[in-house]
Amino acid sequence: MTDTRKTEPRKLGWALAALLVTGNMIGSGVYLLPASLASVGSSSMVGWVVAAIGALLLAGVFAGLGRRLPAADGLSGYAEQGLGRFFGYQASIGYWVGNWLGNVAIAVAATGYLAHFFPVLAERWPSAICNIALLWLTTFLYMAGPRAVARFGGLSLGIGLIPLAIAAVAGALAFDPQIFAASWSPDGAGLAASVPASMALIFWAFLGFESAGVVAQRLKNPERDVGRATFAGVGLAAVIYIAVSAAIFGVIPAAELAKSSSPFADVAARVIGGGAAGFVAVCAIAKTLGTLGGWMMLTGETARAGARQGFLPRVFGRGALTPPANPLIHGGLMTLMVLISAQPRLAGQFSLLIGATTVLFLIVYGLCCAALFRFSDRWPARLAALGGLGFCGWAVTMSGWTFLGIALAFFAATTVGWAFVRKTGDPAGGVGLEV
């Protein structure tokens, strides 16, 4: 008799699943995003509240999908079962590309805090080399297995909360209402303009709440645990994001914040001293690396699910084990994206990457909302689906022509590619395309 314990990966329990969700959310989004939002100013606090409401609506959608479709293989599985194979394909490709684009953004955030110690890393090509090194470091971590990633993410989560706590306390002690008020709207725009314009950037910090659904096949009890981990992660992250962002805008003027590559370290330096700034930077680096490791696993699992469904080349893997080719190919793709997206300022590169990633994800979330509406016959679930779909549509539409154009071009290209996938993919066996 075959010993299946040697061939099947160990399942994640509720505790590790919750750590994965929370760790994937509280990462680069909060550590570098204040600098990206400096042009919006402290009025971005309103945007954080709106984004939190939208994230909670979407959390309800994914909790409902997790209960009704516990065997679905990630977000593309939800879309395919609810809307059909074409939309499952679009969700699979959109989420997959968004994953490895987002990984590059997380590496940029880690490099930004490393630049606190090595200023040369704030320059264009030295930062690109550092980004590539960090991406390959966490690629090899993912190759060690999902439990190694989850444990590293849990450890880094504890370390990563330290700078958030320091910033919150220091910001509360040194909070200056005049600085906060002066930074309300640097360009003079009203809330009707600033909140929608900042949504694509702000919602980046909430990406990852769907992590439990993506790795549902790795959970011991997905029907129960997907909902628990999702709601807990969103609620905790929303409170932390709003508190620490308000603290930063109350200490550092928006004009200075826009030039920062390590906002939390800068707050600590202003209030406590240079030694504290270095400590905060080290903690932020550890947390961004933990987040990057978790997203590496989601990227690989998304590609593996796409291969099983016949949407991506079979080289990404099928069955219970992930082949080494899966993370190695992603490492190559992300290296290429680092070189393409490199810019003179880290904040500029970060903003471009997270905006494109967030819009792609919001479109995929919208497809999942539509799937729940069609699949469920209960009106509470349908109302949640309609609310989530409305939020996704509004956020995508308001993201601006640059990000909207990127999304439209991407999905136009994947629609053309559907003719090839439909002909050569194998939906029955889910073995993927030949390479």
Side-chain angles (χ1 to χ4, degrees), residues 263-339:
F264 283 77
D266 291 346
V267 168
R270 283 172 176 260
V271 180
I272 303 175
F279 176 70
V280 166
V282 169
C283 293
I285 292 166
K287 181 62 194 75
T288 49
L289 289 178
T291 299
L292 185 56
W295 277 103
M296 283 292 184
M297 183 169 78
L298 293 189
T299 303
E301 291 302 302
T302 299
R304 196 167 65 90
R308 283 197 302 269
Q309 294 167 301
F311 300 145
L312 288 171
R314 70 172 65 187
V315 70
F316 287 113
R318 56 179 177 174
L321 300 177
T322 303
N326 181 317
L328 292 176
I329 291 173
H330 289 129
L333 290 171
M334 290 181 290
T335 297
L336 180 62
M337 183 51 58
V338 168
L339 299 176

Side-chain angles (χ1 to χ4, degrees), residues 11-197:
K11 298 287 186 177
L12 299 178
W14 182 87
L16 281 178
L19 286 176
L20 179 66
V21 172
T22 308
N24 282 356
M25 290 185 68
I26 303 178
S28 66
V30 69
Y31 288 122
L32 194 55
L33 197 51
S36 298
L37 290 172
S39 60
V40 179
S42 53
S43 62
S44 59
M45 295 300 99
V46 179
W48 281 107
V49 175
V50 174
I53 294 171
L56 287 169
L57 282 171
L58 291 171
V61 169
F62 283 100
L65 288 168
R67 287 192 300 270
R68 290 166 177 78
L69 301 171
D73 207 347
L75 275 65
S76 60
Y78 295 147
E80 182 175 7
Q81 291 192 39
L83 302 175
R85 185 162 169 76
F86 171 73
F87 289 104
Y89 156 77
Q90 293 281 24
S92 176
I93 302 301
Y95 194 75
W96 172 61
V97 172
N99 266 265
W100 51 267
L101 280 180
N103 288 345
V104 177
I106 297 172
V108 169
T111 297
Y113 277 87
L114 281 168
H116 179 81
F117 303 102
F118 310 102
V120 68
L121 294 181
E123 299 178 9
R124 184 172 188 172
W125 296 117
S127 69
I129 294 172
C130 183
N131 292 337
I132 292 170
L134 295 178
L135 288 167
W136 279 103
L137 174 66
T138 47
T139 293
F140 294 134
L141 174 66
Y142 170 48
M143 294 175 71
R147 292 185 68 82
V149 174
R151 285 171 174 166
F152 180 64
L155 175 63
S156 68
L157 175 60
I159 297 173
L161 290 176
I162 296 174
L164 303 186
I166 291 176
V169 173
L173 294 175
F175 186 86
D176 188 335
Q178 292 183 344
I179 292 178
F180 186 88
S183 300
W184 181 255
S185 182
D187 59 1
L191 290 177
S194 64
V195 171

